[in-house]
Amino acid sequence: MYDAMPAHPVLGVIGRSGSGKTTLLEFVVKEMAARGLRVNLVKHSHHDLALEPPQKDSARLRLAGAAEVLVASPYRFAIVHELRGAPEPSLAQQLARMGPADLTLVEGFKTDPIPKLEVFRPEVGQAPLYPHDPQVIAVASDSPAPADLREGVQWLDLNAREQVLAWLLLQLENKLEK
């Protein structure tokens, strides 16, 4: 595990593109927030991020050379940090920047050694990740569990989102331990 992991639980949500990760996360986050839980989310992207229109003052100042620009309003704030050729920060470094939470969900960073829930749909046409990732502790799928499912991996019905939520709340109660 990481030396710099936060004190609160972290769960990766992995799966192939088009498998339904974001749809499931949207439901889970909404339901957990409605229960009064604070949920943080880290979303990794392989693409450049366009968070502000290029003509806005914050973008102009960032492009002028500012290392970080914090944009604040009465509704939210965002920090845009330019890497300018520096290596991408690790997941542990990204998590250290975030505020406290009851749970942090991580979409992406699929090779990092954190407990993971895989969203798997056979119709996406790609092989599942769980057979080769010992950190996958559950799979949410719209197909039946395979006969050779590794011991300790929970198989959840992706079409019964409440079942996935109930599993996650139980894991949170047990602090996401195997």
Side-chain angles (χ1 to χ4, degrees), residues 11-41:
L11 177 69
V13 178
I14 64 170
R16 306 292 185 172
S17 180
S19 63
K21 297 180 302 290
T22 302
T23 301
L24 179 62
L25 281 168
E26 186 177 25
F27 170 78
V28 165
V29 169
K30 181 179 179 183
E31 291 297 317
M32 292 180 80
R35 287 167 170 76
L37 296 168
R38 182 178 171 99
V39 179
N40 286 347
L41 196 119

Side-chain angles (χ1 to χ4, degrees), residues 155-174:
W155 198 267
L156 306 166
D157 184 349
L158 183 56
N159 295 319
R161 297 181 309 182
E162 290 77 15
Q163 179 193 50
V164 178
L165 176 64
W167 173 84
L168 183 53
L169 291 170
L170 181 62
Q171 294 304 305
L172 186 55
E173 203 173 286
N174 296 329

